[in-house]
Amino acid sequence: MREEKNLTQENLSTKLGITQKSISLYENGENLPSIETFIKLCDILNVSADYLLDRTDIRYTAKEVTNLSLSSEELELIEYFRKLSPMKKVKALGLVIGMTE
């Protein structure tokens, strides 16, 4: 994510107020950031904590989602989608993907 945002380890460490070595250790899986640093990291990279923790493929932060301009039809679809069982969500996504191809 850092490279995708065109940030060097030094740039990112300055923004976070930590050392470049700390960034290197995080990226190599040799250390973990504090909660405070992790929250700042999410903000700087503009991604959700779940995305950074590899718990979801959805990058959007809550702030970005609320800033999206969704039509009333899109919001209605989201509400219906949320009510579906996991299996039905997969089927619904398959149907929508098939319709867009």
Side-chain angles (χ1 to χ4, degrees), residues 52-69:
L52 208 54
L53 291 169
D54 202 25
R55 294 182 60 189
T56 184
D57 291 334
I58 300 170
R59 290 185 181 202
Y60 294 121
T61 62
K63 183 179 178 182
E64 285 180 310
V65 171
T66 57
N67 288 337
L68 293 175
S69 297

Side-chain angles (χ1 to χ4, degrees), residues 29-58:
E30 297 175 31
N31 201 358
L32 295 172
S34 68
I35 294 296
E36 294 80 13
T37 299
F38 182 75
I39 292 168
K40 287 181 192 177
L41 187 58
C42 291
D43 290 342
I44 291 167
L45 298 176
N46 201 28
V47 295
S48 69
D50 280 343
Y51 182 80
L52 208 54
L53 291 169
D54 202 25
R55 294 182 60 189
T56 184
D57 291 334
I58 300 170

Side-chain angles (χ1 to χ4, degrees), residues 4 10 15 17-18 23-24 29 34 37 40-41 44-45 51 53 58 67 70 72 77 82 96:
E4 193 175 294
E10 189 169 328
K15 288 176 181 283
I18 60 176
I23 300 295
S24 178
S34 68
T37 299
K40 287 181 192 177
L41 187 58
I44 291 167
L45 298 176
Y51 182 80
L53 291 169
I58 300 170
N67 288 337
L70 299 175
S72 60
L77 281 170
R82 286 180 174 167
V96 171

